[in-house]
Amino acid sequence: MREFIEDNRKHWEELADLHPETDYYEVEEFLNGESTLDPIELEELGPVEGKSLLHLQCHFGLDTLSWARRGADVTGVDISTRAVEAARELADKTGLGNQARFVQSDVYEIADGSPIETEEFDIVYTSFGVLFWLPDLAEWADVVAQFVRKGGTFYLAEHHPFTNTLSEDSTGENLQARYPYFRERISYDATETGSYAGIEPEELEHGPTHGWSHSLGEIVSALCESGLQLEFLHEYPWSTFEAVDAMERRENGRYVLPELEHDLPFVFSLRASR
């Protein structure tokens, strides 16, 4: 697995250089005071003022710093050195440097040798597009549980694993399940596919990337087996991005699949406590 994780790290080092300049991330809007957090995250996690918050797989820190703006003392962790450097620069630009720190580490290694290995937090948080990059959810859940203080909270909002099964050319009238739902490694070449944020394939030099499909049952079971207690699991019939080509964006920023006879899950969220 280390070889696969190292491939992914190189991929995210490249993206950390390129993503802040894309329209997808709207960095200028963020610097002007806008939040990057989804409304369900704000509602379901609730007030964070005065609380310590650990953000796992934080990329270059927009969500992390959005929580800091709401009063949390935040720590962001990411596998990419360049992402951490970019996050620190943003913290300085927004005047949040005293509330935010960023640590470069593989999520599996923060409990063993990182600057925060002995710390605990009121909230451990991660969201949207993170689980795909994790080969071992049981080990991940153990790391999460280690950093949640007694009485604290873990919160996750994520693309529903059902979404990962759909072919890109699915429509509301013709859904096509092309990809695995249950755990399986998925390897692809980023120099052929580009990035979800609009980076073209030819802009990338490092090709090999690897992800893992995880079922909803695997996700919930891993967290429960780590000792965390599940408080809720919610599922939503919309997506935060164009998960398949036929999706349409509504005024509220939600993506839906028109002509779909019945609602299907595209996002889920959960909250657990220790």
Side-chain angles (χ1 to χ4, degrees), residues 164-202:
N164 298 332
T165 69
L166 296 178
S167 169
E168 292 82 356
D169 55 4
S170 287
T171 66
E173 295 180 329
N174 184 26
L175 290 175
Q176 301 179 56
R178 178 177 296 175
Y179 304 109
Y181 178 79
F182 295 103
R183 188 171 186 266
E184 181 175 316
R185 179 166 60 88
I186 304 161
S187 295
Y188 63 97
D189 190 332
T191 61
E192 297 177 356
T193 61
S195 158
Y196 60 87
I199 302 301
E200 298 299 324
E202 58 269 20

Side-chain angles (χ1 to χ4, degrees), residues 117-131:
E117 63 178 335
T118 61
E119 297 186 31
E120 294 181 336
F121 296 82
D122 298 317
I123 300 165
V124 176
Y125 158 86
T126 191
S127 73
F128 294 115
V130 293
L131 298 185

Side-chain angles (χ1 to χ4, degrees), residues 61-103:
L62 294 183
D63 287 353
T64 323
L65 295 171
S66 291
W67 287 117
R69 279 181 172 159
R70 301 183 73 85
D73 293 315
V74 300
T75 300
V77 175
D78 197 82
I79 196 171
S80 163
T81 299
R82 295 175 192 172
V84 166
E85 291 171 351
R88 289 170 178 163
E89 291 175 6
L90 283 173
D92 290 339
K93 288 181 180 179
T94 54
L96 295 168
N98 291 333
Q99 285 177 249
R101 60 176 170 166
F102 292 92
V103 176

Side-chain angles (χ1 to χ4, degrees), residues 7-8 26 43 54-56 81-82 88 142 151 155 172-173 183 215 224 251-252 264 268 271:
D7 277 339
N8 290 343
E26 299 182 337
E43 178 182 350
L54 174 63
H55 182 185
L56 301 177
T81 299
R82 295 175 192 172
R88 289 170 178 163
D142 286 342
Y155 179 81
E173 295 180 329
R183 188 171 186 266
S215 70
C224 290
E251 289 184 1
N252 61 2
L264 292 172
F268 79 95
R271 176 170 170 154

